[in-house]
Amino acid sequence: MQGVTGKRCSAAATVALICAAAVVVTSPGAAHASPSSPAGSKAPTRPTAPTPRSDESLEQVRKEIEKLYHEAGAATDAYNAAEEKADKQSEQIVKLSKDIADGRAKLKKLKARAGAAARSQYRGGGMPDEAQLMLSDDPGEFLDGAGRVRQGHKAAKNMLTELSRTQEDLRIYAEDATARWKKLEANRKAKAASKRKIKKKIADAEKLESRLEKKERERLRKLEEAAARRKQTAWVDSGVLKDIGAKATPQGKKAIEFATAQIGKPYVWGAEGPGSYDCSGLTSKAWAAAGEGIPRTSQEQWKRLPRVGIENMRPGDLIIYHADASHVGLYVGDGTIVHAPRPGRDVTTAGAGSMRILGVVRPDK
């Protein structure tokens, strides 16, 4: 093997010498091939600009982004509902804790009274009160004592009843608190799951939009506006506004004033102001400013507030959107709403018919 290796090395050295000689006799001009020479290396190519997307392609992107943000909106409503339930359960648990503490203090006093009664009987030689009275030589004292015995028996019976009731109350409070803790934990898990889903949907939508060039993002916004205009035009052309003529109530005017004053503030999921809002955070705070407490989420607003027909709608009413009631806007009149649209957008006005209307609810009676 060593001999073979030596021969290979010798042959390699010979080839190297021949190549070196060829380089020496070559003219300087031939040392580098021209760009057109097939033997030369390829010249560096300039990066080509990405091919602009067609309107049809951008429309598909718009629909996908709209779908992702709609799913994020539905998850946001689920998050807000779980948060609202968790807050209520926490308040109830705090109240139960106070009830349990009060019950334990009461039970301690009752036990102390029972112990005092037992010690008193022991000091009397363990003789029942009735026997002590029978041995009395004074009839008047006997009669007075008999009355006290009856009172004492009644008091003892009442004390035992109260002791038993207090113990039962404590048992119920403890069971209720345990059940509420379990529900609270379940809602915390639901909140965490919804939060993960929201973040993922928003991240997916933002990633999809970030792939677009600046001009394409501008075109995308125009496509969004055009799609909203088409829906609004179709809604208006249906003649629905002809029957809408009711005026806002004083409370409704206050809600509108609050909501319109928030225009320009960013949408942030789960936000209730004052610097940012999600859709139902805006409507619930607007009506709170008008002195009317309403449910926090759009789904609960749809479930629990009185419903009215679109033809009877008046400024200040809430329009609920999409089949899952995942969006809400506050009607301000003339076919317009103010709402917090989605992440990446600010509180703004829009056509009331620019999205699929589920129905209308009225916060004030």
Side-chain angles (χ1 to χ4, degrees):
M1 290 294 292
Q2 186 176 2
V4 173
T5 304
K7 288 179 182 179
R8 285 179 179 171
C9 289
S10 177
T14 304
V15 171
L17 288 171
I18 294 171
C19 290
V23 170
V24 171
V25 298
T26 304
S27 64
H32 300 284
S34 65
S36 59
S37 171
S41 60
K42 291 183 179 180
T45 57
R46 293 180 180 179
T48 57
T51 305
R53 294 174 184 263
S54 65
D55 282 351
E56 184 179 351
S57 174
L58 270 179
E59 178 63 14
Q60 290 300 318
V61 172
R62 183 193 71 77
K63 288 180 178 178
E64 181 61 22
I65 289 174
E66 185 181 77
K67 177 175 175 287
L68 287 168
Y69 278 128
H70 173 257
E71 290 171 351
T76 297
D77 221 44
Y79 175 90
N80 290 336
E83 185 173 49
E84 189 176 32
K85 287 178 182 177
D87 288 344
K88 286 181 180 177
Q89 285 158 356
S90 294
E91 290 173 4
Q92 290 165 343
I93 287 170
V94 168
K95 184 180 180 301
L96 280 169
S97 298
K98 185 178 181 302
D99 290 340
I100 288 171
D102 291 345
R104 284 175 176 167
K106 184 179 179 181
L107 188 63
K108 185 177 180 180
K109 289 180 181 178
L110 289 170
K111 286 181 176 179
R113 283 170 56 191
R119 287 192 297 274
S120 175
Q121 187 174 5
Y122 176 77
R123 285 195 297 271
M127 185 181 293
D129 291 335
E130 295 91 333
Q132 292 183 34
L133 287 170
M134 291 296 291
L135 296 174
S136 174
D137 295 329
D138 188 341
E141 183 182 346
F142 176 84
L143 291 174
D144 290 342
R148 288 196 298 273
V149 166
R150 285 193 296 271
Q151 291 174 355
H153 276 224
K154 184 177 180 182
K157 184 178 180 181
N158 289 342
M159 183 180 68
L160 291 173
T161 301
E162 193 173 1
L163 185 65
S164 177
R165 186 186 300 117
T166 301
Q167 288 175 324
E168 179 64 12
D169 287 345
L170 281 173
R171 185 188 66 78
I172 292 171
Y173 290 156
E175 288 181 356
D176 197 5
T178 301
R180 291 188 187 281
W181 270 114
K182 288 180 180 178
K183 286 182 180 179
L184 180 61
E185 186 61 25
N187 276 313
R188 282 176 177 163
K189 288 180 180 179
K191 272 178 63 179
S194 294
K195 188 174 183 178
R196 287 193 297 271
K197 186 174 182 179
I198 293 163
K199 286 188 171 183
K200 184 179 186 309
K201 296 296 180 183
I202 291 175
D204 288 347
E206 288 175 344
K207 185 177 179 182
L208 190 58
E209 195 166 354
S210 70
R211 292 173 181 167
L212 303 176
E213 297 295 316
K214 183 179 179 181
K215 289 183 178 179
E216 288 178 330
R217 286 196 292 271
E218 292 171 358
R219 284 168 55 210
L220 177 67
R221 183 184 282 270
K222 288 179 180 178
L223 284 174
E224 288 178 354
E225 293 170 353
R229 278 196 304 273
R230 284 195 301 271
K231 292 175 183 176
Q232 174 70 0
T233 299
W235 186 69
V236 172
D237 288 347
S238 70
V240 65
L241 290 179
K242 293 177 183 177
D243 299 323
I244 301 176
K247 303 296 182 182
T249 62
Q251 275 187 302
K253 288 178 181 178
K254 288 180 182 178
I256 291 169
E257 287 172 6
F258 179 93
T260 52
Q262 312 313 310
I263 290 174
K265 294 182 180 180
Y267 176 106
V268 174
W269 65 266
E272 299 178 79
S276 57
Y277 296 88
D278 64 17
C279 65
S280 56
L282 177 65
T283 54
S284 60
K285 286 298 180 182
W287 271 101
E292 190 75 40
I294 65 172
R296 168 64 178 86
T297 70
S298 58
Q299 291 176 344
E300 287 301 307
Q301 288 168 4
W302 174 243
K303 286 179 186 176
R304 291 159 54 185
L305 295 178
R307 299 179 187 179
V308 296
I310 291 178
E311 68 280 2
N312 297 319
M313 183 168 61
R314 69 189 182 203
D317 287 345
L318 304 182
I319 303 181
I320 309 296
Y321 293 96
H322 310 308
D324 56 3
S326 58
H327 191 69
V328 60
L330 191 145
Y331 185 61
V332 297
D334 297 324
T336 305
I337 60 166
V338 61
H339 72 144
R342 66 166 176 83
R345 299 289 185 263
D346 298 331
V347 175
T348 187
T349 57
S354 59
M355 295 168 282
R356 181 185 173 187
I357 295 176
L358 178 61
V360 180
V361 294
R362 177 161 295 163
D364 57 341
K365 309 299 183 284

